[in-house]
Amino acid sequence: MPRASISVRSSVIIAGVKTKEDFQNVLNSAAKIADQFGKTTNVSLFSHAGDVDGPVFHDASGHATQFTQGELSNLKVNWGANSTASFYGCRLTHHVHILEMNGDSYRLKQSRRKREPPSCR
């Protein structure tokens, strides 16, 4: 019985973005390769979440900013059929203090001991 051959070409764009403009530039890059790979079927954004729904970006001076409803509706995406957009965000880093410490880690010592044979302890 002959086998059907399906030829599907796809592309994944992974990019770090800092500003809203960077994000729109990634969407524009996807649109430029649509003739070769097809329209955009999925956009996923992993980011810190702000006080308002949605991702946090930074402006030219480094201040946190978010999309307004108007900016979101004006994003230009070359959507394909059955497309999705997902935002994965957390607010954890907005509530922590980063402490830099020097010295041996208790957990590292404990982990190393578990790997040593009993005769070496």
Side-chain angles (χ1 to χ4, degrees), residues 87-101:
F87 165 62
Y88 303 91
C90 74
R91 295 197 56 194
L92 181 62
T93 58
H94 292 275
H95 302 287
V96 298
H97 299 280
I98 298 173
L99 303 173
E100 290 188 33
M101 301 174 69

Side-chain angles (χ1 to χ4, degrees), residues 104-113 115:
D104 292 335
S105 162
Y106 169 77
R107 298 260 185 228
L108 182 59
K109 283 181 189 177
Q110 190 178 32
S111 174
R112 285 181 180 156
R113 277 195 193 130
R115 285 187 250 150

Side-chain angles (χ1 to χ4, degrees), residues 8 14 16 18 38 44 47 49 53 75 78 84 89:
V8 176
I14 299 174
K18 184 175 181 179
S44 296
S47 171
D53 292 338
L75 284 176
N78 188 14
T84 61

Side-chain angles (χ1 to χ4, degrees), residues 56-91:
V56 172
F57 296 95
H58 293 87
D59 61 20
S61 61
H63 294 95
T65 183
Q66 291 183 268
F67 280 123
T68 64
Q69 288 297 323
E71 289 172 324
L72 280 173
S73 62
N74 288 328
L75 284 176
K76 293 173 179 51
V77 182
N78 188 14
W79 291 114
N82 301 317
S83 299
T84 61
S86 303
F87 165 62
Y88 303 91
C90 74
R91 295 197 56 194

Side-chain angles (χ1 to χ4, degrees), residues 14-76:
I14 299 174
V17 296
K18 184 175 181 179
T19 65
K20 295 176 193 179
E21 293 78 22
D22 291 343
F23 185 65
Q24 182 62 64
N25 290 338
V26 171
L27 297 175
N28 294 343
S29 296
K32 288 177 185 174
I33 61 173
D35 288 342
Q36 184 178 3
F37 294 103
K39 293 184 176 188
T40 300
T41 57
N42 180 274
V43 173
S44 296
L45 179 61
F46 297 80
S47 171
H48 298 296
D51 294 333
V52 183
D53 292 338
V56 172
F57 296 95
H58 293 87
D59 61 20
S61 61
H63 294 95
T65 183
Q66 291 183 268
F67 280 123
T68 64
Q69 288 297 323
E71 289 172 324
L72 280 173
S73 62
N74 288 328
L75 284 176
K76 293 173 179 51

